[in-house]
Amino acid sequence: NYYAATDSAYQDKQPLYQAEADTIFAQVAAKVPDNILGNFWRARVNSLRDPETTQGLAKPYYEAALSILEQKPDATKSVLVECNSYLGYYYFVKEDYNQSKQYWNKNIGIDPENETATKALGELNSPSFFHLSFGLSGQYLVAARLICLEINES
């Protein structure tokens, strides 16, 4: 049960519930490949399994959901934003800043008032970002990552 997988009262069983949820959503994705729900929920479950995004467990599922969504003119904006936000953050963590910017810019295209994308791009585009992120101030890099962590909380 996805909710038990996220509920702190079931903390000792969360890995098991998350694995079960991933298996079920994989079946949904296989049975209905043109629908985003299987991959989208697999992305969410795997995001729970990798909260720091260090392994990128949710990446292939957000990419799969996004590839379906981008073909639909009536796609739900909040779902598009969630997919792009995860991928923008993933590439930020992997220090592929150009790729990260592409996803944040997609969010600005969807929602010009998107605060998280605006902050992320502001940091990534600041003249001091590259100077500071390459060793002179770990605090600056941590601050930029904290901005992006808002994604996982919303």
Side-chain angles (χ1 to χ4, degrees):
N1 157 338
Y2 177 77
Y3 294 101
T6 63
D7 189 336
S8 62
Y10 298 95
Q11 191 166 1
D12 60 326
K13 294 186 179 183
Q14 282 181 344
L16 173 66
Y17 291 148
Q18 291 168 356
E20 288 176 7
D22 184 50
T23 299
I24 291 166
F25 292 129
Q27 293 169 359
V28 171
K31 290 183 187 215
V32 195
D34 293 341
N35 189 302
I36 68 151
L37 292 178
N39 284 310
F40 181 69
W41 282 96
R42 281 193 88 184
R44 283 186 164 183
V45 167
N46 280 284
S47 183
L48 291 172
R49 297 170 85 184
D50 179 22
E52 300 299 320
T53 316
T54 53
Q55 299 172 41
L57 297 180
K59 179 183 178 277
Y61 310 113
Y62 274 120
E63 288 174 330
L66 190 58
S67 71
I68 295 168
L69 285 166
E70 289 178 332
Q71 304 304 314
K72 300 181 181 219
D74 62 339
T76 306
K77 288 183 180 183
S78 63
V79 177
L80 282 165
V81 167
E82 181 176 334
C83 293
N84 286 320
S85 295
Y86 175 87
L87 293 166
Y89 181 66
Y90 168 82
Y91 284 108
F92 181 85
V93 170
K94 297 300 176 191
E95 298 180 2
D96 185 343
Y97 303 120
N98 288 329
Q99 191 73 16
S100 179
K101 285 181 190 181
Q102 288 178 22
Y103 287 102
W104 294 119
N105 279 318
K106 284 184 180 186
N107 276 354
I108 294 296
I110 295 165
D111 175 12
E113 304 298 316
N114 185 289
E115 218 175 298
T116 304
T118 301
K119 286 179 183 177
L121 284 168
E123 294 297 321
L124 287 165
N125 289 326
S126 74
S128 60
F129 175 75
F130 287 101
H131 176 71
L132 292 173
S133 68
F134 287 107
L136 293 179
S137 175
Q139 293 175 353
Y140 187 83
L141 186 55
V142 169
R145 286 185 177 170
L146 288 174
I147 290 168
C148 295
L149 278 176
E150 294 174 3
I151 298 159
N152 291 334
E153 295 173 6
S154 56

